[in-house]
Amino acid sequence: MPVRRARAAEVHALPVVDALSLSRPPNLPSRIRDALGFISGGVGSVLDDQRGVGLCAIMSRGALIFSPAVQPNPKHFASSRPVARINFFISHSWSAGRLDKYAGLLYRFNLVPALVAMHVAALAAAFGFAAGVLPPMATLACVDLPGVRVPFGAYCQLAGTATFVSVLIGWGWILALVEAMGLIARTDCFVDKMCID
């Protein structure tokens, strides 16, 4: 019996599914679905006794849980809770130092919110300065027009930078607050140092 070859139109009509998309929960924003090597997104296992912990607890005190000097203890286990689904598996033993792991987690989970907040704050400062709500910090001589001085304000740079750093470091707490208010679903992660008794 001859093997039937698929026509080009049939092949293009098939849904395209890559291997990574099968393990990602579709209801999460794309910034969370794009996994780094040490963070497996959308584990989605359903076990009777699985536990998860929030991002805030993992990244608290500069991701202290990843320090080799910190040994698992009942306090760490108490910060986790029984969950129906694990969103991310985060390995504590990938080959990097604690601060490198913390920087990786900040990049993975906090960078996009920090960039968005930075741009919003900088634009708000720019509009405030242009509308005259924020006073000029100084006046500068205009190079192209001798004798003309223009107002100067560094509000965009100051507001943008301060907001970026604050949100980059504090996004875990903001996310935990929004999750506690029930506005979004909780992001549960598995870290063996915190989730295994």
Side-chain angles (χ1 to χ4, degrees), residues 110-147:
N110 297 8
L111 183 63
V112 171
L115 288 171
V116 170
M118 174 190 72
H119 284 88
V120 169
L123 286 171
F127 288 130
F129 183 70
V133 175
L134 298 172
M137 294 179 168
T139 56
L140 303 175
C142 184
V143 176
D144 295 333
L145 301 170

Side-chain angles (χ1 to χ4, degrees), residues 14-82:
L14 295 175
V16 177
V17 179
D18 62 59
L20 288 176
S21 68
L22 294 174
S23 66
R24 297 179 192 152
N27 58 344
L28 293 176
S30 62
R31 71 171 179 79
I32 294 178
R33 284 186 280 146
D34 298 333
L36 293 177
F38 57 86
I39 302 171
S40 298
V43 174
S45 61
V46 179
L47 300 173
D48 292 335
D49 58 349
Q50 71 183 359
R51 297 182 70 86
V53 65
L55 289 171
C56 184
I58 295 168
M59 291 195 275
S60 68
R61 299 175 63 195
L64 185 63
I65 191 69
F66 294 116
S67 173
V70 174
Q71 296 301 316
N73 64 47
K75 184 178 85 171
H76 295 137
F77 183 74
S79 67
S80 66
R81 68 183 184 106

